[in-house]
């Protein structure tokens, strides 16, 4: 013990302040959330919450909207992440080639990412206006029918998805670009000499070698998208129409900060946490990335 | 001592110092210097300009206090103040809409105004300014109003309509496709048709209201059905309103002179002035079928005092509060921003009396009805909003929508209280 | 199999000087040709234009009978081994070797036979299931070789394949590659900057400098009859000594020393006043004590085991001499240097071009 202290006291002392802050701002709220998930804390029981056991969890799973909200969450996440990956990797491959004006393209494509989400989301909301929004104006110019982006249940989900795809692909692009640049060009040359065409090289070299960077980026992207409150909340104007445009987090957010249903929202957050945790564990196992990225 | 030992001692001391400074940072500063008074507010930018002038003057004349303010979005202020005050902290004062009283009173995070100010002081305010909940006043009003009026572009509308019929006729005359591209680019009437707040004046004109005296929702009523049909007709039958007409669109169209009339509150007038639109204010017209005027919701905005403030600090805060609602400041707000004063001296001030806009707004105010300040209102809004929109989009009949509103509101209120 | 023939190849990047300034090179069928030169001389660029990874600005590349100037790499049917092996890190050894066959849609059974054959040949049989990162440098290089030979291409291109290996492995792999070539007899173009590699492996060697071929010859030909000063000093270790020389009354003079022996006729025909360069290999310099020849002081002695390198300062410049056995002398000793002018090489002092036919192998007494 004495020798342990002598040996490690100094590094631990250095870590201590950060560790304390982490405990305070991460661990404490996390545990507190679990505790109030089992209480009836709400505006009416703010100072005197009582233990209500699994009541909130029963409510959550019998909520009439739960299936539809969950389905929309899955659609939201899968479509977004898939589009981010497809666009991000595709554009990264294009940008990784020797093209004239590559720097300008690169800067332009990163732009959506450089703008505050809040502003982007509100701008997109304006662009989705039925009568005067840019999107419908373009559709009309192309002699296509205008789309009720904010009135129809399904289009109202499509609108924030489009906005979020626009917002999110640069991240994947940057990650993929970094991954691409770490692939030695000799691999492509060797394959070219072996007679491999563009498509073969993409499938057999580029994609497998991007996997180590794309797997964690996809996991992160999935969690972020799954939990992305801002975009869908703002573009759909808090879930319009008729609270049909909700994913799990916006649903919880509304319960917590609109109706002050703290206990219920905490319980819902626990459910979301368990969902995401299972996803991450499953995904990492399925892709065989046990920390072996190299 | 070896070099290495010395280094480890120094680094240990350094780490401990960092640690302590973090703990100290959590505890709040010392008590020296002028007493600080913190104000959280949700004012519009123009209102903040005026506020800052007066706060600077106050700070200059009071060496022992230093007032600072922070701006919040309404929802953020509500939530964050609740959390902070529950934890025993938070700002000394908050400025917000009267309906903050609901959550704040239930959570007991603010002092009842009638307990910290004597009755003769409160008697200086106009009686219509106060909201009472659970037998107490929770907000000291700094302005009354916050209600909707009819705003007409006087280049287009010579005399504002007095009845719905007239309003529809004037609007129809102006609605047109001026460039002949097949889509209408000029509308007679624009207003935020996504928020039920704009539905309420019409509801009142059919004799309905949102809740009863026990705060139970009263949405599934013949009055509501007629109201929904009427507003839906404005767009779908008379065609005098654009589709998906939200706040942004109404505001833009009216500012560009592409709309004859709009329905909006005092916060919007300056924007129209700046856009060069000559406006006339009038009451939202009378429903010729029922003989009732439209009934916009009225409310006041004002200051609440954090329940954690006591003793000397409370006295300092009260003094500041009296200053903030003083006739001098209210006259400034009234003359510059056309808001109706809450304190009688300012209301009767000749500089205010002579303002046409205040007069028109006051007339509308008197035809309005107080917005309930109970938290149930929030559930009612949220229940009304989607059903209202469904009617406008033709996805629900007024009858179904009224039923859905009621059912949803009842459920939401039950869940909130659960 | 086929020869590789280059005619007047010019290649430039951007606007600057061309990297290749008109290369004419014929690699005969089954020949092992080494391209050697300092870095930046253009040797790797030659490989890249032959492989088709780079296009040429002018000239003609022929592989066998076919002119391939505009053919993409896959149509040239050549194989290349890279300095960093270029193994696919995510594929097992087996799949690395099979990659080129799969690209060409070879039937599965055939792939298996060919891969196992190649693995057998390269002693990789036990490693087929491993990933490249589990292999040593030498093993990786053998996998890269396997990937090249399995396709039975018309020609092999090696781009400094041994420079990432340590010295001992390098010697071993040198022998392995040579043995492989003996067995397979595939036309090979082998790029290196290491003259020892060039001398030990090449059937013929091409020396390059600044995008131009200096000389192409069999190894001993380069050694004994370097076409110019550059080849003379580039080939051989320690390098050839270069001293300023002149004619003094028809006799060869270096520094303060005038040699009694004659010089080749071609030199004698030159104007006496013009100096030239004398090249003498370290093993042709004799160090002794008799006051005869160039006076020199020993700066440093490097015992190499079987022989010693002795670095000396003379009035005509610094030189190195190689002596068999362990040197009995020590630093700062005053000695004399003698050599047989018949073993010397002569170069024009300005152009560096070889003068005369001179240079007879063997030592003088």
């Amino acid at each position: 013990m004495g020798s342990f202290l002598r040996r490690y006291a100094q590094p631990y002392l250095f870590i201590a302040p950060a560790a304390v802050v982490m405990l305070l701002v991460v661990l404490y709220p996390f545990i507190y959330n679990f505790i109030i998930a089992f209480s009836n804390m709400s505006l009416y029981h703010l100072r005197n919450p009582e233990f209500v056991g699994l009541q909130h969890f029963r409510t959550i799973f019998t909520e009439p909207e739960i299936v539809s909200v969950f389905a929309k969450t899955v659609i939201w996440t899968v479509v977004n992440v898939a589009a981010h990956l497809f666009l991000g990797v595709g554009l990264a491959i294009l940008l990784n080639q020797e093209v004239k004006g590559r720097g300008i393209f690169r800067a332009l494509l990163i732009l959506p990412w450089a703008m505050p989400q809040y502003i982007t989301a509100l701008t997109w909301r304006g662009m989705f206006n039925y009568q005067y929004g840019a999107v419908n104006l373009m559709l009309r110019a192309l002699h296509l029918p205008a789309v009720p982006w904010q009135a129809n249940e399904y289009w109202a989900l499509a609108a924030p998805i489009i906005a979020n795809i626009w917002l999110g692909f640069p991240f994947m692009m940057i990650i993929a670009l970094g991954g691409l640049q770490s692939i030695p060009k000799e691999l492509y040359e060797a394959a070219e000499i072996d007679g491999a065409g563009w498509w073969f090289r993409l499938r057999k070299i580029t994609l497998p070698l991007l996997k180590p960077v794309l797997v964690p980026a996809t996991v992160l992207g999935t969690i972020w998208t799954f939990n992305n409150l801002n975009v869908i909340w703002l573009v759909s104007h808090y879930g319009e129409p008729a609270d049909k445009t909700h994913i799990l987090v916006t649903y919880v957010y509304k319960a917590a900060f609109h109706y002050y249903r703290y206990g219920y929202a905490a319980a819902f957050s626990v459910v979301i946490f368990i969902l995401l945790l299972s996803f991450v564990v499953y995904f990492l196992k399925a892709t065989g990335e046990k920390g072996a990225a190299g | 001592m070896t070099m290495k030992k010395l280094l480890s001692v120094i680094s240990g001391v350094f780490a401990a110092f960092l640690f302590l400074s973090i703990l100290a940072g959590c505890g709040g500063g010392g008590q020296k210097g002028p007493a600080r008074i913190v104000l959280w507010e949700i004012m519009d930018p123009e209102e903040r300009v005026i506020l800052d002038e007066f706060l600077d003057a106050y700070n200059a004349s009071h060496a022992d206090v230093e007032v600072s303010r922070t701006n919040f979005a309404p929802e953020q202020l509500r939530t964050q103040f609740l959390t902070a005050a529950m934890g025993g902290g938070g700002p000394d004062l908050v400025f917000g809409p009267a309906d903050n009283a609901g959550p704040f009173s239930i959570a007991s995070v603010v002092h009842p105004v009638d307990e910290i100010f004597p009755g003769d002081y409160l008697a200086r305010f106009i009686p219509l300014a106060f909201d009472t909940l659970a037998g107490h006043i929770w907000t000291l009003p700094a302005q009354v109003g916050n209600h909707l009026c009819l705003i007409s572009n006087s280049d287009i509308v010579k005399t504002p309509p007095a009845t719905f019929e007239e309003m529809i006729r004037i609007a129809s005359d102006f609605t047109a496709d001026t460039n002949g591209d097949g889509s209408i680019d000029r509308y007679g009437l624009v207003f935020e048709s996504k928020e039920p707040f704009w539905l309420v004046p019409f509801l009142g004109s059919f004799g309905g209201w949102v809740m009863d005296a026990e705060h139970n929702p009263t949405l599934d009523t013949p009055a509501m059905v007629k109201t929904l049909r009427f507003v839906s007709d404005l767009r779908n039958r008379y065609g005098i309103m654009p589709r998906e007409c939200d706040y942004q669109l109404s505001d833009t169209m009216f500012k560009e002179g592409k709309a004859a009339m709009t329905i909006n509150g005092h916060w919007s007038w300056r924007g129209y002035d700046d856009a060069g639109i000559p406006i006339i204010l009038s009451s939202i017209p009378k429903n010729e079928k029922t003989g009732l005027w439209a009934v916009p919701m009225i409310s006041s905005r004002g200051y609440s005092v954090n329940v954690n403030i006591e003793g000397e600090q409370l006295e300092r805060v009260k003094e500041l509060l009296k200053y903030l609602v003083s006739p001098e400041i209210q006259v400034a707000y009234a003359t510059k921003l056309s808001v109706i004063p809450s304190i009688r001296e300012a209301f009767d001030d000749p500089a205010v009396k002579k303002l046409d806009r205040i007069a028109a707004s006051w007339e509308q105010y008197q035809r309005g009805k107080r917005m309930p300040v109970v938290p149930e209102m929030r559930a009612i809004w949220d229940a009304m909003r989607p059903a209202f929109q469904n009617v406008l989009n033709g996805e629900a009949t007024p009858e179904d929508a009224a039923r859905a509103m009621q059912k949803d509101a009842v459920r939401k209120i039950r869940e909130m209280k659960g | 199999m086929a020869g590789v023939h280059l005619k007047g190849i010019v290649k430039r990047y951007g606007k600057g000087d061309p990297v290749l300034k008109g290369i004419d090179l014929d690699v005969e069928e089954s020949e092992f040709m080494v391209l050697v030169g300092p870095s930046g001389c253009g040797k790797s660029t030659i490989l890249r234009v032959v492989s088709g990874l780079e296009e040429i600005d002018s000239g003609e590349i022929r592989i066998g009978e076919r002119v391939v100037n505009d053919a993409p790499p896959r149509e040239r049917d050549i194989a290349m081994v890279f300095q960093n092996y270029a193994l696919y890190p995510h594929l097992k050894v087996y799949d690395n070797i099979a990659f080129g066959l799969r690209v060409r849609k070879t039937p599965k059974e055939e792939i298996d036979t060919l891969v196992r054959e190649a693995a057998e040949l390269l002693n990789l049989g036990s490693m087929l299931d491993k990933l490249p990162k589990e292999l040593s440098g030498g093993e990786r290089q053998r996998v890269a070789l396997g990937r090249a030979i399995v396709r039975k291409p018309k020609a092999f291109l090696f781009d400094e394949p041994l420079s990432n290996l340590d010295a001992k492995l390098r010697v071993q792999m040198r022998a392995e590659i040579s043995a492989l070539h003996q067995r397979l007899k595939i036309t090979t173009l082998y790029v290196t900057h290491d003259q020892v590699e060039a001398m030990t492996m090449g059937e013929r060697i091409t020396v390059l400098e600044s995008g131009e071929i200096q000389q192409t010859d069999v190894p001993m030909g380069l050694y004994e009859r370097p076409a110019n000063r550059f080849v003379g000093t580039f080939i051989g270790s320690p390098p050839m000594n270069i001293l300023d020389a002149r004619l003094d009354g028809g006799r060869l003079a270096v520094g303060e020393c005038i040699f009694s022996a004659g010089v080749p006729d071609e030199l004698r025909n030159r104007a006496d006043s013009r100096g030239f360069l004398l090249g003498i290999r370290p093993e042709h310099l004799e160090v002794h004590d008799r006051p005869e020849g160039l006076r020199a002081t020993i700066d440093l002695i490097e015992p190499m085991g079987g022989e010693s390198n002795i670095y000396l300062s003379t009035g005509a410049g610094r030189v190195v001499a190689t002596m068999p056995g362990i040197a009995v002398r020590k630093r700062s000793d005053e000695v004399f240097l003698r050599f047989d002018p018949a073993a010397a090489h002569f170069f024009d002092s300005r152009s560096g071009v070889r003068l005369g036919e001179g240079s007879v192998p063997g030592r003088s007494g």
Side-chain angles (χ1 to χ4, degrees):
Chain A
M1 187 63 201
S3 75
F4 176 86
L5 266 185
R6 253 202 308 285
R7 193 157 163 207
Y8 292 114
Q10 190 181 347
Y12 276 111
L13 268 172
F14 277 122
I15 296 170
V20 169
V21 171
M22 286 299 281
L23 281 179
L24 287 177
V25 304
V26 177
L27 197 61
Y28 172 72
F30 183 79
I31 291 171
Y32 188 66
N33 182 79
F34 267 84
I35 293 170
I36 60 175
F38 297 95
S39 80
N40 65 351
M41 187 184 277
S42 70
L43 179 63
Y44 297 88
H45 301 95
L46 259 182
R47 291 179 192 272
N48 54 343
E50 288 157 21
F51 179 77
V52 293
L54 293 171
Q55 183 197 309
H56 292 312
F57 294 93
R58 273 195 299 275
T59 317
I60 289 164
F61 289 110
T62 53
E63 206 82 76
E65 294 93 351
I66 184 80
V67 175
S68 129
V69 171
F70 182 71
K72 280 176 181 167
T73 311
V74 171
I75 293 169
W76 161 261
T77 310
V78 170
V79 173
N80 267 312
V81 174
H84 289 165
L85 271 172
F86 184 78
L87 278 177
V89 173
L91 288 169
I93 287 171
L94 291 180
L95 281 184
N96 199 36
Q97 285 160 9
E98 300 289 338
V99 219
K100 247 203 175 125
R102 176 164 71 163
I104 297 168
F105 283 121
R106 226 181 259 201
L108 278 178
L109 286 168
I110 293 170
L111 221 55
W113 199 39
M115 285 202 276
Q117 259 193 3
Y118 196 89
I119 291 168
T120 310
L122 289 178
T123 307
W124 273 99
R125 172 154 184 83
M127 299 208 315
F128 282 122
N129 179 280
Y130 181 81
Q131 196 105 24
Y132 299 99
V135 180
N136 276 358
L137 287 181
M138 272 191 273
L139 288 176
R140 284 202 196 94
L142 297 170
H143 298 288
L144 293 167
V147 170
W149 294 107
Q150 291 167 358
N152 174 280
E153 175 179 358
Y154 301 102
W155 289 116
L157 181 64
I161 287 178
I162 291 170
N164 196 52
I165 288 172
W166 190 81
L167 262 168
F169 80 81
F171 171 74
M172 282 294 180
M173 190 183 80
I174 299 293
I175 296 281
L177 207 51
L180 284 175
Q181 279 165 356
S182 72
I183 301 177
K185 71 175 192 328
E186 285 86 356
L187 295 188
Y188 292 107
E189 296 181 346
E192 213 179 324
I193 291 171
D194 273 344
W198 179 85
W199 178 241
F200 198 90
R201 293 199 298 263
L202 176 71
R203 266 186 336 153
K204 298 292 178 180
I205 302 177
T206 309
L207 293 183
L209 288 179
L210 276 183
K211 203 175 116 178
V213 292
L214 287 187
V215 166
T218 306
V219 171
L220 273 180
T222 305
I223 294 172
W224 286 341
T225 310
F226 195 93
N227 275 347
N228 186 325
L229 178 84
N230 285 353
V231 177
I232 190 162
W233 181 255
L234 294 172
V235 174
S236 74
H237 200 251
Y238 323 139
E240 283 179 10
D243 274 323
K244 292 268 172 50
T245 315
H246 276 302
I247 57 173
L248 293 171
V249 281
T250 57
Y251 194 82
V252 172
Y253 185 83
K254 197 152 189 176
F257 298 108
H258 215 70
Y259 298 122
Y260 312 106
R261 299 170 68 192
Y262 296 122
Y264 172 84
F268 217 130
S269 303
V270 169
V271 173
I272 293 177
F273 170 74
I274 291 169
L275 272 174
L276 276 179
L277 189 68
S278 344
F279 159 77
V280 171
V281 170
Y282 172 79
F283 190 83
L284 288 184
K285 258 195 187 144
T287 52
E289 292 295 316
K290 287 163 229 121
Chain B
M1 208 191 292
T2 66
M3 194 61 198
K4 208 180 159 195
K5 266 190 188 162
L6 183 70
L7 263 180
S8 74
V9 168
I10 291 173
S11 57
V13 169
F14 179 67
F17 173 76
L18 264 182
F19 181 72
L20 286 175
S21 59
I22 285 164
L23 289 185
C26 300
Q31 288 297 321
K32 281 176 204 135
R36 289 175 55 103
I37 298 179
V38 178
L39 164 65
W40 288 2
E41 42 78 18
I42 58 147
M43 290 187 185
D44 300 331
E46 305 91 58
E47 293 181 298
R48 293 205 291 271
V49 172
I50 298 173
L51 178 67
D52 280 342
E53 277 170 31
F54 285 106
L55 284 184
D56 287 347
Y58 192 80
N59 281 334
S61 60
H62 293 70
D64 55 332
V65 260
E66 194 191 323
V67 188
S68 64
R69 65 156 189 88
T70 310
N71 181 257
F72 282 83
E75 206 57 44
Q76 260 62 42
L77 183 138
R78 202 190 313 250
T79 321
Q80 299 209 14
F81 178 71
L82 263 178
T83 318
M86 290 286 302
D92 303 81
L93 272 176
V94 287
F95 175 88
D99 60 342
N100 273 349
F104 290 178
S105 64
I106 290 167
S108 319
V109 289
V110 293
H111 283 292
V113 169
D114 48 292
E115 283 179 8
I116 55 173
F117 286 107
D120 57 342
Y121 175 70
L122 297 179
R124 290 170 60 191
F125 289 78
I126 53 180
L128 274 174
F130 291 112
D131 284 292
T132 314
L133 188 64
H136 287 291
I137 297 164
W138 302 91
T139 302
L140 189 63
Q143 49 181 257
V144 299
N146 218 29
H147 54 278
L148 301 171
C149 298
L150 184 71
I151 305 167
S152 306
N153 181 334
S154 66
D155 281 347
I156 302 161
V157 183
K158 293 301 159 210
T159 316
T163 64
F164 287 170
E165 220 167 34
E166 276 177 53
M167 179 176 80
I168 293 166
R169 204 195 60 239
I170 294 172
S172 298
D173 289 347
F174 185 68
T175 303
D177 171 14
T178 53
N179 58 10
D181 68 349
S183 77
I184 291 172
D185 43 43
R186 229 170 63 171
Y187 281 99
L189 178 64
V190 291
F191 63 84
E192 160 74 290
S193 63
K194 298 204 159 177
E195 278 301 320
F197 189 68
W198 272 258
L199 186 67
V200 170
F202 299 101
L203 179 63
S205 81
F206 283 99
W209 192 240
V210 290
M211 62 169 70
D212 63 18
E214 278 76 48
H215 314 316
N216 297 310
T218 54
L219 303 173
D220 187 11
T221 59
M224 178 60 86
V225 173
K226 285 179 201 156
T227 306
L228 288 169
R229 181 162 296 129
F230 176 76
V231 175
S232 152
D233 282 351
L234 290 181
R235 195 186 87 183
N236 299 325
R237 187 166 145 208
Y238 306 113
I240 56 173
M241 277 179 72
R243 282 186 72 162
E244 294 196 20
C245 186
D246 60 6
Y247 191 90
Q248 186 82 42
L249 181 63
S250 314
D251 201 48
T252 311
M253 288 192 76
F254 193 76
K255 280 180 181 163
E256 288 174 357
K258 290 179 180 165
M261 292 171 280
T262 187
I263 296 175
N264 215 337
H266 69 83
W267 55 84
S268 66
W269 302 338
R270 268 207 45 159
Y272 300 144
D273 292 342
D274 292 345
I277 300 294
I279 59 172
I280 324 176
L281 302 181
S282 61
S283 290
I284 306 172
K286 188 190 263 186
N287 186 339
E288 59 283 340
K289 293 205 179 88
T290 59
L292 298 172
W293 283 93
V295 186
M297 277 190 173
I298 56 172
S299 64
S300 37
R301 299 205 297 169
Y303 296 90
S304 300
V305 182
N306 191 329
V307 76
N308 301 310
I309 307 303
E310 272 158 6
E312 248 181 85
Q313 178 76 353
L314 181 59
E315 292 312 312
R316 276 193 288 267
V317 170
K318 278 163 66 181
E319 197 197 328
L320 171 67
L321 194 42
K322 282 182 176 169
Y323 172 73
L324 288 174
V325 299
S326 64
E328 182 197 359
I329 294 185
Q330 293 209 22
V331 169
Y333 273 107
T335 50
K336 285 181 182 152
L337 301 177
S338 312
V339 299
I340 304 173
S342 64
I343 205 159
R344 198 173 293 281
E345 284 163 76
F347 189 79
D348 292 334
D349 191 288
V352 176
K353 274 279 181 220
K354 67 170 191 201
L355 294 171
D356 292 344
R357 286 190 185 176
I358 297 263
S361 181
W362 179 245
E363 181 193 69
Q364 178 72 85
Y365 186 86
Q366 286 168 303
R367 290 179 174 142
K369 193 166 169 180
R370 300 209 75 80
M371 179 167 79
V373 293
V374 290
E376 284 90 335
M377 193 58 223
R378 166 166 293 234
I380 290 174
W381 287 136
D382 285 345
M384 286 172 74
R385 192 175 297 114
F388 174 35
Q389 286 168 29
N390 282 346
V391 173
L392 286 185
N393 297 329
E395 284 170 19
T397 64
E399 288 80 6
D400 290 344
R403 242 189 322 278
M405 281 180 189
Q406 179 71 16
K407 203 176 137 205
D408 201 21
V410 169
R411 174 183 153 197
K412 284 192 158 87
I413 291 168
R414 194 181 59 234
E415 281 172 353
M416 267 175 84
K417 295 197 164 174
Chain C
M1 251 180 292
V4 174
H5 308 279
L6 307 182
K7 219 160 86 191
I9 301 296
V10 175
K11 168 74 189 169
R12 65 176 83 226
Y13 295 106
K15 295 218 166 72
D17 261 5
V19 187
L20 301 178
K21 302 170 182 164
I23 298 290
D24 296 299
L25 179 65
D26 291 292
V27 187
E28 304 304 335
E29 190 169 315
S30 298
E31 187 181 17
F32 196 111
M33 169 70 83
V34 174
L35 294 177
V36 68
S39 60
C41 70
K43 55 192 190 298
S44 289
T45 308
I46 293 182
L47 278 199
R48 295 177 66 82
V49 299
V50 171
S51 69
L53 292 173
E54 306 276 359
E55 288 174 13
I56 51 174
D57 292 303
S58 66
E60 181 187 282
I61 304 172
R62 196 155 54 77
I63 297 176
E65 292 309 307
R66 184 175 172 199
V67 175
V68 294
N69 283 13
D70 298 320
R74 78 182 90 100
E75 288 174 19
R76 301 191 181 193
D77 196 14
I78 37 98
M80 188 152 160
V81 176
F82 293 83
Q83 176 176 351
N84 62 5
Y85 324 129
L87 299 183
Y88 307 119
H90 57 296
L91 298 181
K92 288 178 176 159
V93 168
Y94 184 101
D95 302 305
N96 258 291
I97 298 177
F99 192 91
L101 296 171
R102 287 193 179 133
V103 170
R104 278 150 207 263
K105 305 238 159 56
T106 313
K108 238 189 170 141
E109 303 75 43
E110 200 182 328
I111 291 181
D112 195 62
T113 319
L114 289 171
V115 170
R116 291 191 188 281
E117 226 175 79
E120 193 58 36
L121 192 62
L122 292 163
N123 235 340
L124 287 168
S126 61
M127 295 165 201
L128 287 174
D129 278 334
K130 291 188 174 170
L131 285 170
K133 66 178 171 194
E134 300 171 89
L135 304 180
S136 70
E139 288 163 347
R140 286 181 205 185
Q141 192 52 271
R142 291 218 296 277
V143 177
L145 283 175
R147 205 168 60 181
I149 63 171
V150 75
R151 258 182 35 222
K152 303 203 162 61
K154 289 207 183 92
F156 277 155
L157 308 176
F158 288 89
D159 191 3
E160 308 220 15
L162 305 184
S163 49
N164 280 11
L165 301 177
D166 65 47
K168 201 175 153 196
L169 256 176
R170 203 148 51 204
V171 174
Q172 187 191 329
M173 286 303 294
R174 228 152 65 188
E176 281 190 33
I177 292 175
S178 292
L180 201 65
H181 180 252
Q182 288 304 314
R183 285 184 63 165
L184 302 174
K185 284 288 173 201
I186 292 179
T187 315
T188 299
L189 206 47
Y190 184 107
V191 161
T192 180
H193 64 270
D194 178 353
Q195 54 92 20
V196 179
E197 230 169 275
M199 292 296 280
T200 51
M201 298 176 77
E203 290 175 348
R204 281 199 301 157
I205 299 171
T206 295
V207 182
L208 284 151
E209 227 284 277
S210 310
E212 284 171 306
I213 291 182
Q214 304 297 315
Q215 189 174 5
T216 301
D217 206 341
V218 297
M220 281 323 283
L222 286 181
Y223 193 77
E224 288 166 355
R225 284 179 304 278
N228 54 35
R229 177 191 171 160
F230 177 81
V231 177
T233 50
F234 192 78
I235 301 291
S237 173
M240 178 186 279
N241 299 300
I242 301 288
L243 298 167
D244 284 321
R246 63 189 189 280
L247 285 180
D248 193 331
R251 288 188 302 169
L252 178 65
V254 177
E256 83 285 356
C257 172
I258 298 172
F259 290 84
S260 51
V263 291
D265 294 341
E266 294 95 323
L267 275 176
R268 202 167 289 132
N269 294 340
R270 291 165 66 91
D272 277 11
S273 57
R274 252 175 89 184
F276 50 90
L277 297 173
L278 177 143
I280 184 82
R281 297 209 176 269
E283 66 267 31
H284 295 157
L285 274 179
E286 193 187 336
V287 180
H288 60 97
D289 299 321
R290 275 165 292 149
E292 182 190 329
L294 266 175
R295 183 191 297 272
T297 314
I298 297 178
D299 291 332
L300 176 69
I301 300 175
E302 281 180 351
M304 306 293 284
E307 52 188 23
S308 303
N309 297 333
I310 302 173
Y311 293 84
L312 310 109
S313 297
T314 75
R318 297 173 63 122
V319 294
V320 53
T322 307
M323 304 276 291
I326 304 291
V328 292
R329 301 165 205 279
K330 56 186 195 301
R331 259 190 76 178
S332 308
D333 278 0
E334 287 264 319
V335 293
F336 291 90
L337 291 171
R338 205 173 60 176
F339 61 91
D340 177 359
H345 309 262
F346 301 101
F347 306 107
D348 186 274
S349 52
R350 241 170 286 162
S351 67
V353 172
R354 180 178 193 83
L355 301 171
E357 265 312 301
S359 177
V360 186
R363 294 192 169 210
S364 63

